[in-house]
Amino acid sequence: MNSHKVFTALFAALAVAALGSSVVHAYPADAPKVPAWAYPQGVHEELAPDDGKLYHLPGTTQAFTDTQINRVNATIDWFPKSHPTPPAPVITGTEKYKACGTCHLMNGVGKPETGDLQGLPVAYLLQQLDDMKNDRRHPAYVPSSLTGMVAIAKALTPEEARQAAEYFHSVPPVEHIRVVESADAPVTHPGPHTIQLPDPSGARAPLGTRIVEVSENVERTKLRDPSTGFVAYVPVGSIARGEALVKSGGASKMACTMCHGADLKGMGDAFPSLAGHSPTAMARQLFDFRSGSRDGKNAAAMKPVVAGLSDADIVDVSAYLASLKP
């Protein structure tokens, strides 16, 4: 066996040992003990000089350079006819913040580290920005895109915030998550844009009490393609267990349907849709509520619900909600 194959085999063995547990990163001594898989990390990518190459995607005549995709505060729009005309905060940004579409993508579908904004109530979105701006909503674990979102919330003017909220509310939800129950999942590594990259060796590791969410097409996701979905690997039996918890309320006896609607597609301005969203993003919010780091205006309604949820319960609930049609 050559040295490359030895290294690959050794790496896969170590990864299986490390990723079998629910917590795979070291925590600062004073950090809330939340599972790190729910708080995706990225890597800083040293960009070579832009050679002017134009990138393309199937189904569109749009073409963009690396600078347009990665090196400016404005963002690119691959499918401009597929959504309403975006306001400046969503597509242009300013010298103070990147355009919302950079991370949430132009149709608001987002990624596991950012979350889905499609169709959410305007008042709900504005409340979340206000909570971040006033330090009432933080990630429970620092390596999260939400730390950057807090800075953006503080930089947005009230009018910019309203424009962005009204835009994302106007975009209808689309199905973009494929949920797969499995005993194992691909070994992943942090990548650019906080994308979790499957190991090139094809190594897999026991899933344990985790959710592993990867792009259906990594190269297209790197290009900020909003039409590429994700596959979420969840523990065997988690969807059925999650359904029982969602409908019964578990220890709290407060079923999710009481506030989020019988179809889990939201009720009023305070309780958003949960159906068909990224299970990684949903689990992160439940961990944040449970830890107290998400403590905004409507957090009081969630705290008794999540107080009695174990890590496994949160995985199961998130798996079930992600399996529903948005």
Side-chain angles (χ1 to χ4, degrees):
M1 182 180 290
N2 65 33
S3 59
H4 174 73
K5 290 182 178 179
V6 170
F7 175 81
T8 300
L10 176 61
F11 177 85
L14 291 173
V16 167
L19 292 178
S21 65
S22 62
V23 177
V24 298
H25 299 300
Y27 289 86
D30 60 347
K33 298 303 186 286
V34 291
W37 59 261
Y39 298 79
Q41 298 186 57
V43 295
H44 176 70
E45 190 175 35
E46 292 294 336
L47 298 174
D50 188 346
D51 61 4
K53 174 184 174 181
L54 287 172
Y55 292 86
H56 302 265
L57 286 180
T60 177
T61 58
Q62 301 288 94
F64 300 100
T65 66
D66 182 62
T67 293
Q68 292 171 304
I69 296 169
N70 294 311
R71 307 178 197 226
V72 290
N73 281 0
T75 194
I76 44 108
D77 192 353
W78 287 109
F79 303 99
K81 295 182 179 180
S82 68
H83 53 71
T85 301
V90 172
I91 191 166
T92 305
T94 71
E95 70 281 356
K96 294 181 180 179
Y97 63 84
K98 285 183 176 291
C100 306
T102 304
C103 298
H104 290 284
L105 306 180
M106 288 305 300
N107 64 354
V109 75
K111 303 196 300 296
E113 81 283 2
T114 58
D116 181 355
L117 306 182
Q118 294 181 323
L120 293 180
V122 172
Y124 175 80
L125 290 169
L126 290 176
Q127 183 62 57
Q128 301 317 301
L129 290 170
D130 186 71
D131 289 344
M132 294 175 202
K133 184 176 182 178
N134 291 286
D135 300 314
R136 294 189 294 263
R137 181 176 170 182
H138 298 279
Y141 182 42
V142 173
S144 165
S145 61
L146 188 55
T147 55
M149 191 61 230
V150 170
I152 291 171
K154 292 177 183 289
L156 287 168
T157 67
E159 179 57 25
E160 288 170 333
R162 178 164 292 280
Q163 288 175 6
E166 289 176 346
Y167 171 77
F168 287 119
H169 170 70
S170 73
V171 182
V174 296
E175 193 170 1
H176 64 286
I177 304 293
R178 182 166 60 92
V179 180
V180 176
E181 290 193 346
S182 178
D184 60 14
V187 172
T188 61
H189 313 289
H193 305 186
T194 323
I195 301 167
Q196 304 309 294
L197 304 176
D199 188 76
S201 72
R204 296 176 73 89
L207 195 52
T209 309
R210 295 184 299 141
I211 295 169
V212 172
E213 199 167 347
V214 294
S215 172
E216 297 275 22
N217 188 312
V218 169
E219 293 309 311
R220 289 176 62 169
T221 298
K222 286 181 181 179
L223 294 176
R224 306 191 193 280
D225 175 8
S227 68
T228 297
F230 284 77
V231 54
Y233 295 91
V234 302
V236 175
S238 60
I239 294 176
R241 292 191 300 268
E243 181 178 13
L245 283 168
V246 164
K247 293 181 177 179
S248 72
S252 74
K253 304 301 181 185
M254 297 175 67
C256 303
T257 52
M258 292 171 60
C259 296
H260 292 276
D263 57 2
L264 285 309
K265 293 184 180 179
M267 287 179 62
D269 290 335
F271 302 101
S273 171
L274 305 177
H277 288 241
S278 159
T280 305
M282 285 192 289
R284 183 165 61 253
Q285 300 317 308
L286 294 174
F287 288 124
D288 284 355
F289 279 123
R290 195 181 69 181
S291 73
S293 66
R294 183 168 175 178
D295 194 28
K297 178 181 178 181
N298 299 310
M302 283 297 300
K303 288 183 178 181
V305 177
V306 300
L309 293 180
S310 66
D311 287 7
D313 290 337
I314 288 176
V315 167
D316 292 344
V317 166
S318 301
Y320 170 65
L321 293 173
S323 74
L324 301 175
K325 291 187 180 297

